[in-house]
């Protein structure tokens, strides 16, 4: 029986075990998309609490494979456990759908949620690269904590990018991690190296789930890397993000052929693999 069949097995314990197996591995992009689709189907019809918890946790491991429709369906699960709330907030995308009214240090406007479910306090990037904070969401005259896909609400935005917004502008919930993951798959090694550098250096720490996702993408890139400069950037980034490195990532890196690793890089890899458990490492 294949993994996808186990994810929809009649026995909830089989479904739970299969989901935990998904969560405990690093997947290539094609597998991420397939598994994400099956997990969404399973989670949206799941009645067993243990299986549902495992399925939602596994979605973090294949987050890059989630479609907009899949995210919309996940938004219907109520009440949403914290892991799902965070996943939907990370995927948030809003579009300004009315004239913008600047006022003092904040801006009032109407937005439509195109994807995910941003929450109050979310940071979103504007088209010109500036940042805004979603201070308040008002839906049908009532303040709410989150805005679901397909809904339109009046919002209050603050931050450097709020005053320059125009109608039809799109705002994305901190898309830098998604962009780094995508660029680590680029055919140009210079793009991959730059993506690794950007993953390791940012103002403020990544949250745990985003950090683990970046480490999985970096390890996946490193074990197939053919360019020495890009490989150095990927291994350096993994060392900088060592506090987020999970056992599945370490297992993947242990399969890296030492003969293809330049001699000068081997100490980085040894340092990364020899420390255990990863949670005890100091974050840089």
């Amino acid at each position: 029986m294949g993994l996808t069949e186990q994810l929809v097995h009649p026995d909830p314990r089989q479904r739970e075990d299969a989901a935990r197996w998904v969560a405990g591995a690093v997947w290539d992009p094609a597998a991420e998309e397939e598994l994400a689709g099956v997990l969404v189907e399973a989670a949206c019809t799941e009645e067993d609490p243990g299986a549902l918890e495992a399925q939602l946790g596994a979605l973090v491991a294949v987050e890059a494979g989630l479609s907009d429709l899949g995210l919309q369906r996940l938004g219907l699960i109520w009440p949403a456990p914290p892991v799902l709330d965070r996943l939907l907030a990370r995927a948030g995308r809003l579009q300004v759908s009315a004239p913008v009214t600047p006022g003092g240090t904040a801006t009032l406007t109407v937005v439509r949620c195109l994807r995910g479910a941003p929450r109050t306090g979310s940071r979103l990037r504007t088209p010109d690269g500036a940042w805004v904070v979603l201070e308040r969401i008002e839906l049908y005259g009532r303040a709410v904590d989150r805005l679901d896909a397909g809904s339109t609400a009046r919002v209050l935005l603050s931050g450097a990018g709020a005053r320059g917004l125009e109608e039809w502008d799109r705002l994305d919930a901190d898309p830098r991690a998604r962009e780094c993951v995508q660029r680590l798959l680029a055919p140009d090694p210079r793009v991959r190296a730059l993506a690794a550098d950007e993953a390791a250096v940012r103002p403020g720490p990544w949250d745990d789930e985003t950090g683990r996702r970046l480490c999985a993408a970096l390890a996946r890139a490193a074990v197939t890397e053919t360019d020495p400069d890009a490989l150095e950037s990927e291994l350096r980034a993994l060392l900088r993000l060592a506090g987020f490195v999970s056992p599945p990532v370490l297992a993947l890196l242990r399969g890296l052929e030492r003969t293809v690793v330049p001699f000068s890089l081997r100490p980085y890899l040894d340092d990364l693999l020899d420390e255990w458990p990863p949670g005890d490492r100091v974050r840089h």
Side-chain angles (χ1 to χ4, degrees):
M1 183 184 299
L3 182 57
T4 53
E5 288 81 5
Q6 293 179 51
L7 287 168
V8 293
H9 194 277
D11 183 351
R13 299 288 72 78
Q14 285 266 28
R15 299 195 298 272
E16 180 178 352
D17 290 344
R20 296 195 187 283
W21 176 261
V22 172
V26 177
W27 304 95
D28 62 60
E32 279 187 333
E33 187 172 342
E34 179 183 9
L35 290 169
V38 176
L39 282 166
V40 168
E41 291 289 339
C44 289
T45 58
E46 188 57 70
E47 297 180 352
D48 181 81
L52 179 60
E53 179 184 5
Q55 290 157 357
L56 295 178
L59 282 169
V60 177
V62 294
E63 193 170 333
L66 287 168
S67 66
D68 288 0
L69 178 59
L71 289 164
Q72 185 173 353
R73 294 187 63 193
L74 289 171
L76 299 176
I77 296 176
W78 191 262
V83 66
L84 179 56
D85 256 345
R86 293 191 298 270
L87 186 152
L88 293 171
R90 287 195 298 273
R93 173 177 289 166
L94 303 176
Q95 183 173 48
V96 179
S97 56
V100 177
T101 307
T105 60
T107 291
L108 187 67
T109 189
V110 174
V111 298
R112 180 174 177 80
C113 183
L114 302 180
R115 185 181 68 194
R119 302 186 65 86
T120 52
S122 294
R123 294 179 73 247
L124 302 113
R125 193 172 70 176
T126 68
D128 62 2
W131 295 94
V132 298
V133 176
L134 185 56
E135 298 285 359
R136 179 180 172 86
I137 305 170
E138 191 175 291
L139 190 64
Y140 303 118
R142 179 172 60 91
V144 295
D145 290 333
R146 82 176 203 181
L147 185 60
D148 294 322
S151 299
T152 299
R154 188 168 64 168
V155 299
L156 187 67
L157 303 169
S158 67
R163 296 184 67 85
L165 288 176
E166 297 180 356
E167 192 171 1
W168 311 122
D169 279 349
R170 289 188 176 187
L171 309 173
D172 279 286
D174 204 346
R176 290 172 293 181
R178 292 195 301 274
E179 292 169 354
C180 284
V181 170
Q182 291 167 357
R183 293 201 303 274
L184 284 168
L185 300 170
D188 187 340
R190 293 169 298 181
V191 175
R192 298 195 297 272
L194 182 59
D197 293 340
E198 290 177 358
V201 181
R202 74 183 293 264
W206 296 109
D207 64 77
D208 287 346
E209 287 156 359
T210 301
R212 289 196 295 270
R213 180 181 169 196
L214 283 168
C215 285
L218 286 162
R220 189 171 59 200
V223 297
T224 58
E225 189 56 72
T226 57
D227 182 82
D229 291 337
L231 180 59
E232 180 172 4
S233 292
E234 290 152 5
L235 293 177
R236 283 184 183 275
L238 281 163
L239 195 60
R240 290 288 300 274
L241 297 173
F244 298 115
V245 171
S246 63
V249 167
L250 290 173
L252 186 63
L253 290 173
R254 288 194 175 98
L256 186 64
E257 287 288 341
R258 290 303 181 94
T259 56
V260 304
V261 179
F263 184 79
S264 62
L265 296 181
R266 292 176 191 175
Y268 302 140
L269 187 60
D270 291 340
D271 191 24
L272 193 65
L273 296 181
D274 290 346
E275 295 183 20
W276 187 268
D280 290 342
R281 300 182 184 129
V282 177
R283 294 182 187 173
H284 295 271

